[in-house]
Amino acid sequence: QVQLVESGGGLVQAGGSLRLSCAASGRTFSSRAMGWFRQAPGKEREFVATINWSGSNTYYADSVKGRFTISRDNAKNTMFLQMNSLKPEDTAVYYCAAGPRLAGNPNDYAYWGQGTQVTVSS
C-alpha cells in the first residue's frame, strides 16, 4: 500500500507560480512512476504530467507544456510540480498518483492522494 499526500495549493494571480508537493509513504517501491492529474468542476479528471523512477523520462499534457515541470526526490519520497505562468484555466483540484509505469491514463495509477486546490484569478 502507498499513501500519497499533496500540499502547496492555494490562490494565485494569473501569471504567478505555485509549487505542489506529493509526499509518499508505505511501499514506495511500488511508486516506480508518479503523475499529476487535475479536475475542475463539471469536468473529467485530466492528465497533467508523469515521471518515471529515475526522473529521466517525463511527459506533459500539451496544455501545460513549457509552463509546468514535474520532478521527484526519491530520498525524500516526494514528487513536485512546479507551475509557472499560471492561467485561470489551470484552476482545479490537483491530485498526485503512483503506478508501475509512465502513463497518461488515470486507470493506470493504483494510488491517489486527496487532492489540493489550485485557484488562479484574473
Side-chain angles (χ1 to χ4, degrees), residues 34-93:
M34 300 184 73
W36 289 96
F37 292 77
R38 65 188 183 186
Q39 188 167 22
K43 295 185 178 180
E44 295 293 314
R45 189 167 299 187
E46 66 173 342
F47 168 77
V48 175
T50 188
I51 187 169
N52 71 338
W53 174 258
S54 68
S56 61
N57 292 297
T58 59
Y59 182 78
Y60 298 90
D62 288 342
S63 60
V64 306
K65 195 173 299 181
R67 299 188 297 120
F68 292 9
T69 302
I70 188 171
S71 62
R72 65 191 296 171
D73 185 342
N74 292 334
K76 297 182 178 180
N77 298 126
T78 304
M79 178 181 64
F80 306 96
L81 184 68
Q82 178 66 47
M83 305 185 295
N84 298 326
S85 302
L86 283 163
K87 305 174 181 179
E89 51 263 45
D90 294 318
T91 296
V93 176

